[in-house]
Amino acid sequence: MKWLSVLPQQCILLMTCILVALEAVPIDIDKTKVKGEGHVEGEKVENPDTGLYYDEYLRQVIDVLETDKHFREKLQTADIEEIKSGKLSRELDLVSHHVRTRLDELKRQELARLRMLIKAKMDSVQDTGIDHQALLKQFEHLNHQNPDTFEPKDLDMLIKAATSDLENYDKTRHEEFKKYEMMKEHERREYLKTLDEEKRQREESKFQEMKKKHGDHPKVHHPGSKDQLKEVWEEADGLDPNEFDPKTFFKLHDVNNDGFLDEQELEALFTKELEKVYDPKNEEDDMVEMEEERLRMREHVMNEVDINKDRLVTLEEFLRATEKKEFLEPDSWETLDQQQLFTEDELKEFESHISQQEDELRKKAEDLQKQKEELQRQHDQLQAQKQELQQVVKQMEQKKLQQGNPPAGPDGELKFQPPGEHKVGDAPKHPAGGDQPLPPGHVQETAARTDEVHP
């Protein structure tokens, strides 16, 4: 599983209220001594996915706004209070007509996308009830009451929604990880219940052996400490550890050269430490736990270094952190395997919740089975009625035949005529002078009249 990190400077300015960008101190670096290829100036750096359900809309709005020179200048000089108060959003009234037209189009597209998704969701849950509050929450990042134009209120709502969602994003990920760990333990215990005593003991022994094997790893440096950064400097950057310089280090790892270390760039610094504990080839190492460890390290450094809490580390903040005692003499870092991730009470509560969900699913399955059986019963009943009707019709036709009445055709007509019975107008007709023989003694009148002689 790959944990998502937030956008770099250009997106976070609108989402998390950043301060004025500080220019990094120019530093002469011998790039020939640095491992790997450096960032090429002017090269477009892909921003990581924020994980927000409106991520693409957010990116498009920012890209369009940055094409306007006036707004871009205001953005670069804005401070936290201007962004929080909505003052920056009011600058939207001064952007060019072309930019406003493009923003209007983006908003209409986003509304159409949301409506389509909500309709599909409503269709899928129409029999189980609809959470209307959850549906309305889908529109919190824009003003849906004005569906046609992008106004300052839309920009203000987008900034506030993204800021709030990103602030809660890490918390949600921690909660999901905790549930993941409890589910693992729940399934393990449930599996043990299915085994006999001998097999259960073998499984327990294997489990304890894997835990011990996972915990047997090299010492992990405190994230953000001098020892940790020097290890990156030496092993990842290929530079002499005796020449470690914080300014140069910052410049090297500011991948997109924007003057900040964003969350993605910070997380990249912990790869060497994580490799000491986790190996995807080892059965005892869980890669989901590795990403949780990476998240913990990044959060710790941000809490220690990010003074203005804008989710970015400036050069000034970074250098100030290197002057602290914790940078030179940090406490030992406890990895996840050294911590209790949940208590027995929390596990019992989680299992109770799981049991409740299973009971609800079981009840739904039973209801569906009853509905199926009822439909089958109705089907069988209709089939029986159909057979009874067919039998009655057959008996009626047999009775008609016994009484001398022929069975009726499709339109009620008789299929055949009994001897001596004809319909009106069905008497045989023979034309005069025909070839049909006449009865004996019958004199043909016409012939007699033609033989008479008149004086």
Side-chain angles (χ1 to χ4, degrees):
M1 182 185 297
K2 179 180 179 182
W3 294 114
L4 303 172
S5 73
V6 295
L7 295 173
Q9 177 194 7
Q10 61 175 3
C11 294
I12 298 180
L13 278 168
L14 290 179
M15 298 183 299
T16 56
C17 312
I18 67 172
L19 291 172
V20 181
L22 297 176
E23 292 295 333
V25 179
I27 302 172
D28 292 330
I29 303 174
D30 186 355
K31 296 291 184 179
T32 61
K33 296 182 180 180
V34 182
K35 291 183 179 179
E37 297 181 359
H39 172 68
V40 178
E41 187 173 354
E43 179 184 355
K44 184 177 179 61
V45 178
E46 279 301 318
N47 293 325
D49 192 344
T50 61
L52 302 175
Y53 65 91
Y54 49 90
D55 175 80
E56 184 176 357
Y57 172 67
L58 175 64
R59 293 171 186 275
Q60 290 173 335
V61 169
I62 292 171
D63 289 343
V64 171
L65 286 173
E66 286 191 333
T67 63
D68 185 87
K69 181 180 179 181
H70 170 78
F71 194 89
R72 185 169 63 251
E73 291 174 353
K74 289 292 182 180
L75 186 63
Q76 291 172 350
T77 58
D79 60 23
I80 291 178
E81 292 307 319
E82 286 181 322
I83 298 175
K84 282 185 175 180
S85 65
K87 185 177 180 181
L88 179 66
S89 300
R90 291 193 289 272
E91 296 293 332
L92 188 67
D93 290 331
L94 303 177
V95 302
S96 67
H97 175 72
H98 172 73
V99 170
R100 291 297 293 270
T101 301
R102 180 63 182 134
L103 290 173
D104 294 344
E105 182 183 350
L106 288 175
K107 181 180 177 180
R108 288 192 290 269
Q109 291 174 355
E110 176 70 358
L111 281 169
R113 182 186 74 87
L114 290 175
R115 285 168 178 161
M116 180 181 67
L117 292 176
I118 288 175
K119 183 180 184 304
K121 187 169 185 178
M122 291 177 68
D123 292 341
S124 67
V125 299
Q126 57 185 353
D127 296 330
T128 58
I130 300 172
D131 186 350
H132 293 281
Q133 290 299 117
L135 292 180
L136 289 175
K137 187 174 175 60
Q138 304 295 312
F139 291 95
E140 287 187 349
H141 63 287
L142 46 72
N143 180 18
H144 64 278
Q145 295 178 345
N146 174 16
D148 299 318
T149 58
F150 189 100
E151 303 296 336
K153 183 177 180 180
D154 290 287
L155 182 57
D156 191 44
M157 292 178 70
L158 182 59
I159 293 172
K160 290 179 179 178
T163 301
S164 175
D165 291 341
L166 289 172
E167 285 176 350
N168 295 323
Y169 195 53
D170 288 346
K171 180 181 178 182
T172 302
R173 286 157 60 181
H174 287 310
E175 291 173 352
E176 291 300 321
F177 173 74
K178 187 174 182 178
K179 290 179 182 178
Y180 168 80
E181 288 294 316
M182 288 192 290
M183 179 60 78
K184 275 203 317 184
E185 179 62 17
H186 168 69
E187 292 178 345
R188 188 185 75 84
R189 294 185 183 187
E190 290 297 308
Y191 172 67
L192 291 177
K193 292 178 183 179
T194 65
L195 305 177
D196 57 39
E197 186 63 27
E198 182 180 353
K199 290 182 179 179
R200 187 158 50 247
Q201 289 181 358
R202 284 204 302 266
E203 284 295 324
E204 283 285 11
S205 298
K206 180 182 177 182
F207 176 72
Q208 295 299 329
E209 181 182 346
M210 289 181 65
K211 280 184 64 176
K212 182 179 178 181
K213 188 177 180 182
H214 172 69
D216 185 18
H217 54 71
K219 178 184 176 181
V220 175
H221 292 304
H222 193 95
S225 66
K226 184 176 182 179
D227 290 338
Q228 191 257 314
L229 299 185
K230 280 183 68 176
E231 188 173 57
V232 175
W233 173 275
E234 180 180 4
E235 298 187 14
D237 300 332
L239 299 174
D240 187 347
N242 297 321
E243 297 179 2
F244 175 76
D245 178 69
K247 291 183 181 179
T248 306
F249 184 91
F250 183 95
K251 186 68 176 180
L252 282 172
H253 294 277
D254 176 16
V255 179
N256 56 5
N257 292 329
D258 62 357
F260 297 88
L261 292 182
D262 57 41
E263 296 183 350
Q264 186 186 36
E265 290 167 337
L266 276 178
E267 289 185 357
L269 301 178
F270 312 132
T271 300
K272 287 294 178 182
E273 300 304 315
L274 294 170
E275 288 176 349
K276 297 176 182 178
V277 186
Y278 299 95
D279 186 342
K281 298 178 182 178
N282 295 338
E283 182 184 2
E284 67 273 10
D285 297 337
D286 189 334
M287 295 300 104
V288 176
E289 294 178 357
M290 182 185 75
E291 294 304 327
E292 173 69 8
E293 190 77 76
R294 190 193 304 274
L295 173 59
R296 289 179 64 240
M297 289 179 171
R298 187 256 293 164
E299 281 185 318
H300 173 76
V301 173
M302 277 293 187
N303 289 334
E304 294 291 321
V305 181
D306 183 20
I307 299 173
N308 59 7
K309 306 304 176 186
D310 63 359
R311 302 173 77 95
L312 294 169
V313 176
T314 65
L315 177 61
E316 181 182 2
E317 290 172 329
F318 183 77
L319 295 179
R320 189 177 300 177
T322 61
E323 298 171 355
K324 296 180 180 179
K325 180 181 177 182
E326 292 80 0
F327 181 74
L328 301 174
E329 302 175 6
D331 297 330
S332 60
W333 177 259
E334 289 188 355
T335 53
L336 286 173
D337 55 280
Q338 297 172 302
Q339 297 183 352
Q340 184 179 11
L341 301 177
F342 52 85
T343 65
E344 279 296 319
D345 289 340
E346 288 175 325
L347 180 60
K348 287 180 181 178
E349 183 179 353
F350 177 76
E351 289 179 327
S352 175
H353 181 65
I354 292 294
S355 178
Q356 182 180 353
Q357 288 182 325
E358 290 176 347
D359 290 340
E360 291 175 356
L361 290 174
R362 192 180 301 109
K363 186 177 182 303
K364 287 182 180 180
E366 291 173 355
D367 291 342
L368 289 173
Q369 182 63 30
K370 289 179 181 178
Q371 291 177 16
K372 178 183 176 182
E373 292 174 356
E374 176 62 20
L375 290 173
Q376 185 63 46
R377 186 189 67 78
Q378 293 177 6
H379 174 74
D380 294 342
Q381 189 177 22
L382 290 173
Q383 285 295 108
Q385 291 176 357
K386 178 180 177 181
Q387 292 177 358
E388 288 178 3
L389 289 172
Q390 289 176 341
Q391 187 65 27
V392 169
V393 171
K394 185 177 180 181
Q395 290 175 354
M396 290 177 65
E397 289 183 350
Q398 290 177 349
K399 188 174 181 181
K400 286 181 180 180
L401 287 174
Q402 291 174 358
Q403 293 176 352
N405 295 326
D411 299 322
E413 77 280 4
L414 297 179
K415 292 183 178 180
F416 66 93
Q417 296 289 345
E421 293 187 10
H422 298 283
K423 293 182 180 179
V424 177
D426 284 350
K429 298 179 181 179
H430 302 293
D435 296 333
Q436 296 295 330
L438 297 174
H442 180 80
V443 179
Q444 188 171 358
E445 288 186 24
T446 305
R449 284 196 296 267
T450 57
D451 291 342
E452 292 179 2
V453 178
H454 298 276

